[in-house]
Amino acid sequence: MSDVSKLNSDPDRLLFAYWVPNVSGGLVVSKIAQKTSWDLKSNLRYAQTAEKGGFEYALTQIRFTASYGASNQHESVSFSQALLQGTEKLKVIAAILPGPWNPAVAAKQLASIDHYSDGRVAVNIVSGWFKGEFTAIGEWWLDHAERYRRSNEFMRCLRGIWTAPEDEGFTFAGDFYRFRNYKLSPKPVQKPHPPIFQGGNSDDARVNGAEVADWYFMNGNDLEGFSAQIQDVKARAAKVGREAHIRFAVNGFVIVRETEEEAIRVLQEIQGKADAEAVAAFANEVKNAGASTSNKRGMWATSTFNDLVQYNDGFKTKLIGTKEQVAERIVLLKSLGVNLVLTAFLHYDEEIEQFGREVLPLVRQLEAQGRGRDAEFEIAQTGDVYRKRTD
């Protein structure tokens, strides 16, 4: 058995993923120097390093137009396929945006890629928050609830197309999509189908997570926020008989240094050198999106300027400190019900390897000791950090 296989042998282990920097500017909206590149050659190196270090997933980003420091963007599905061809075990989650994509096209693309990669592709359905991106490419901009309702149908169609009996095909009559006896061949390698991810904070996103997704992505948050969100989605899933089916993933920006003080100084430098104009524009766009929900609790609705320097509130997850501190906080997240931690880094050239070498083995050691199962115990150990701010 290889070292990575030993590292990831526990079926109850926490999974690790990383954001793929297939757009320029890195994962922070800051003018700080970064050792991170967005080209394919660099990303193949990151993917192979991550795979060797114990990461099991990677998530590509979806951007159609330049925005908020990301002046260049590679397309997510084709980039995912390229990474899969350059790796052996890593699963790649391709981001897809309903509107530009039809579920028939997405189902066909992903089923084919699943064959090319021996069953290693997944999909992240992004409902969309950037109005200018939709209007620039001639797509209708729907109200928040309608965007998520369209995503709900999109995910139902993906699953239906992938799993429909060969002799019957897929039939669906919705408000956004319609199919009549559509037969997909070949079906995906993964059974029953490739995993479907989606995220968001709003009630609309939580309904989708409970009803149709396999994985529910959460932005960074505090202890109470994580716990409330997980319990709410589980309760919604229980009403439709899916409580045991839905799993939870959380976004966290990782800064590991020799001392906590050094790690916090790096965070302060990232925020201090923020691209103020880009962050302000991003804040205006996403806060409008978050505040447009029925109860004003959509993504980014309460995020501060410093929070928004990292696209998905990753600083709030507090994976900032020594390797031991970060590992302790990760097992705390597991105890709350988190199944996967989605990481991002300042210096991809160095820090993916560092995380796999220093942090991930510590998490596995703690898991082997029984840690990450008792939320009350874990909160007593390290929960206070989530009740304090470092900025």
Side-chain angles (χ1 to χ4, degrees), residues 15 17 56-59 91-96 120-127 151 154-155 158-159 162 190 193-200 208-209 212-218 246-250 339-342:
L15 305 178
E56 295 179 71
Y57 284 90
L59 173 65
K91 300 176 180 69
V92 182
I93 311 163
I96 282 182
R120 292 188 289 124
V121 74
V123 60
N124 182 37
I125 302 303
V126 181
S127 295
S151 293
F154 195 102
M155 287 183 273
L158 274 185
R159 179 176 282 109
W162 283 334
Q190 297 178 80
H193 54 75
I196 299 173
F197 290 72
Q198 78 94 45
N208 286 359
V212 291
D214 301 304
W215 285 86
Y216 179 77
F217 269 131
M218 300 181 291
I246 187 67
R247 306 183 80 190
F248 295 88
V250 64
N339 307 105
L340 180 149
V341 175
L342 173 62

Side-chain angles (χ1 to χ4, degrees), residues 22-23 60-64 75-76 95-97 101 126 133:
N22 57 298
V23 305
T60 56
Q61 303 175 65
I62 178 66
R63 295 284 186 96
F64 276 91
E75 190 277 318
S76 58
I96 282 182
L97 191 61
W101 268 278
V126 181
E133 188 172 54

Side-chain angles (χ1 to χ4, degrees), residues 7-65:
L7 194 66
N8 293 334
S9 60
D10 184 351
D12 191 41
R13 69 188 177 278
L14 190 69
L15 305 178
F16 289 93
Y18 74 94
W19 280 100
V20 174
N22 57 298
V23 305
S24 61
L27 272 293
V28 290
V29 192
S30 176
K31 297 180 180 179
I32 190 172
Q34 300 182 61
K35 298 176 184 176
T36 300
S37 301
W38 61 284
D39 62 283
L40 177 59
K41 183 177 180 180
S42 297
N43 269 282
L44 283 170
R45 185 172 70 253
Y46 303 151
Q48 291 159 0
T49 300
E51 185 175 63
K52 291 176 183 176
F55 286 83
E56 295 179 71
Y57 284 90
L59 173 65
T60 56
Q61 303 175 65
I62 178 66
R63 295 284 186 96
F64 276 91
T65 62

Side-chain angles (χ1 to χ4, degrees), residues 19-271:
W19 280 100
V20 174
N22 57 298
V23 305
S24 61
L27 272 293
V28 290
V29 192
S30 176
K31 297 180 180 179
I32 190 172
Q34 300 182 61
K35 298 176 184 176
T36 300
S37 301
W38 61 284
D39 62 283
L40 177 59
K41 183 177 180 180
S42 297
N43 269 282
L44 283 170
R45 185 172 70 253
Y46 303 151
Q48 291 159 0
T49 300
E51 185 175 63
K52 291 176 183 176
F55 286 83
E56 295 179 71
Y57 284 90
L59 173 65
T60 56
Q61 303 175 65
I62 178 66
R63 295 284 186 96
F64 276 91
T65 62
S67 58
Y68 317 120
S71 56
N72 294 288
Q73 324 85 32
H74 286 304
E75 190 277 318
S76 58
V77 177
S78 57
F79 207 82
S80 297
Q81 182 179 342
L83 295 182
L84 287 164
Q85 289 178 328
T87 53
E88 296 179 354
K89 294 184 178 180
L90 189 72
K91 300 176 180 69
V92 182
I93 311 163
I96 282 182
L97 191 61
W101 268 278
N102 177 282
V105 175
K108 187 69 173 175
Q109 277 183 308
L110 295 166
S112 292
I113 295 172
D114 208 39
H115 279 263
Y116 309 156
S117 63
D118 295 323
R120 292 188 289 124
V121 74
V123 60
N124 182 37
I125 302 303
V126 181
S127 295
W129 52 265
F130 184 18
K131 180 178 180 180
E133 188 172 54
F134 276 75
T135 58
I137 61 175
E139 288 289 335
W140 292 104
W141 177 248
L142 305 176
D143 289 341
H144 184 278
E146 290 296 279
R147 294 199 303 277
Y148 278 84
R149 202 161 65 86
R150 177 171 62 182
S151 293
N152 189 297
E153 284 194 10
F154 195 102
M155 287 183 273
R156 290 181 188 277
C157 289
L158 274 185
R159 179 176 282 109
I161 292 168
W162 283 334
T163 61
E166 294 285 353
D167 57 341
E168 295 179 13
F170 176 64
T171 296
F172 183 85
D175 292 334
F176 300 95
Y177 306 109
R178 296 197 171 201
F179 292 87
R180 180 176 295 176
N181 301 324
Y182 173 53
K183 298 177 181 179
L184 176 72
S185 184
K187 301 285 190 182
V189 172
Q190 297 178 80
K191 302 302 179 191
H193 54 75
I196 299 173
F197 290 72
Q198 78 94 45
N201 287 0
S202 66
D203 281 351
D204 301 313
R206 296 178 190 205
V207 166
N208 286 359
E211 292 184 352
V212 291
D214 301 304
W215 285 86
Y216 179 77
F217 269 131
M218 300 181 291
N219 275 10
N221 212 322
D222 56 25
L223 274 182
E224 292 74 16
F226 284 137
S227 296
Q229 205 167 352
I230 290 170
Q231 295 310 312
D232 184 35
V233 174
K234 282 186 174 181
R236 293 172 190 268
K239 292 179 181 179
V240 292
R242 299 185 77 243
E243 182 180 10
H245 185 74
I246 187 67
R247 306 183 80 190
F248 295 88
V250 64
N251 178 62
F253 193 88
V254 179
I255 304 174
V256 174
R257 297 295 184 270
E258 288 296 318
T259 66
E260 184 177 26
E261 291 75 19
E262 185 182 356
I264 292 173
R265 283 197 299 271
V266 174
L267 170 64
Q268 292 170 336
E269 184 180 4
I270 292 171
Q271 294 172 329

